[in-house]
Amino acid sequence: MAAIEGFLVASLLLSCLASTSYGVTFTSLQKTLVVSASNQQGKVLKGGEGNITITWSYNNSFPAGTDSAYKTVKLKLCYAPISQVDRAWRKTVDNLEKDKTCQHNIVSKPYSPSNNNFTWSVERDVPTATYFIRAYAYNSADEEVAFGQNTDAHKTANLFQVEAISGRHASLDIASICFSAFAIVSLFGFFFLEKRKGKSSQQK
């Protein structure tokens, strides 16, 4: 009897350790948040210029109290499947600690079941890709406990594109051209003055 009890306790401890080491899985989360974004399907947002308004709320079709553990909501910019192909660094993994789908943080807000919105300006360093928005609800231990997203389960609807800015800005190109022109004019002016000085010295 003691041996059986010892075996059961050991099994329970191993189970707890395994679940702790593995972390939270996406498939274990309930989709209790309703998320929408002001984008149009296929719309292109430019890095450093475009913006998008995101709204989110609790889905009241779930039983009352389902959201009792929710403390924080974090919005994330996530890669759509089309932008994950042949890119292992963007791979979707069920273990959220290893998942690379949503690498870009948008904002973190205290949880409220309704009247939530945020207008996000696309940052300059966001890579060119196709994206969707996902919201995660976190508990007091900062663990994911629920989610919502502005796309369907297959992540094909309501997607939008971000076009990264080039390494050079138009104003920098203009300044570079102006500086080059000034340098050329200055160089010709220098040679002209030197030539006049040479003629003056010869006449003397």
Side-chain angles (χ1 to χ4, degrees):
M1 185 70 177
I4 295 175
E5 289 180 351
F7 175 76
L8 291 175
V9 170
S11 298
L12 181 61
L13 288 172
L14 287 172
S15 177
C16 290
L17 287 172
S19 61
T20 302
S21 62
Y22 189 73
V24 178
T25 60
F26 181 76
T27 51
S28 70
L29 303 180
Q30 288 186 305
K31 187 181 179 182
T32 62
L33 301 179
V34 179
V35 181
S36 63
S38 62
N39 64 292
Q40 297 176 346
Q41 179 77 21
K43 182 179 179 180
V44 178
L45 300 174
K46 292 190 176 182
E49 298 178 9
N51 60 71
I52 187 169
T53 298
I54 306 156
T55 61
W56 67 98
S57 61
Y58 175 68
N59 187 341
N60 289 314
S61 65
F62 284 87
T66 302
D67 62 340
S68 60
Y70 302 177
K71 301 300 180 184
T72 308
V73 169
K74 297 180 183 181
L75 301 181
K76 295 178 179 287
L77 182 68
C78 309
Y79 291 107
I82 193 173
S83 290
Q84 293 177 296
V85 177
D86 297 327
R87 295 175 174 88
W89 60 93
R90 299 177 181 176
K91 185 179 179 180
T92 295
V93 179
D94 193 36
N95 181 355
L96 292 178
E97 291 183 355
K98 300 178 180 180
D99 182 42
K100 303 297 182 182
T101 308
C102 306
Q103 299 181 29
H104 306 281
N105 296 320
I106 294 176
V107 72
S108 176
K109 295 280 189 179
Y111 173 73
S112 175
S114 60
N115 300 321
N116 302 291
N117 66 82
F118 181 78
T119 298
W120 177 63
S121 296
V122 182
E123 297 172 358
R124 295 167 63 91
D125 60 347
V126 173
T128 296
T130 301
Y131 295 93
F132 65 93
I133 303 294
R134 180 178 287 167
Y136 283 109
Y138 290 76
N139 59 20
S140 58
D142 201 34
E143 298 170 330
E144 298 92 340
V145 288
F147 82 103
Q149 57 192 30
N150 76 314
T151 187
D152 59 342
H154 299 291
K155 297 174 283 188
T156 57
N158 300 319
L159 306 177
F160 59 94
Q161 293 175 299
V162 170
E163 183 179 288
I165 62 171
S166 61
R168 297 176 64 87
H169 196 274
S171 60
L172 293 177
D173 290 334
I174 293 171
S176 178
I177 292 169
C178 291
F179 180 78
S180 298
F182 175 77
I184 292 170
V185 170
S186 299
L187 185 61
F188 276 109
F190 174 77
F191 281 121
F192 178 74
L193 290 174
E194 286 296 313
K195 194 173 183 179
R196 287 193 63 181
K197 287 180 180 180
K199 286 183 179 180
S200 297
S201 60
Q202 287 176 3
Q203 291 173 358
K204 291 179 179 181

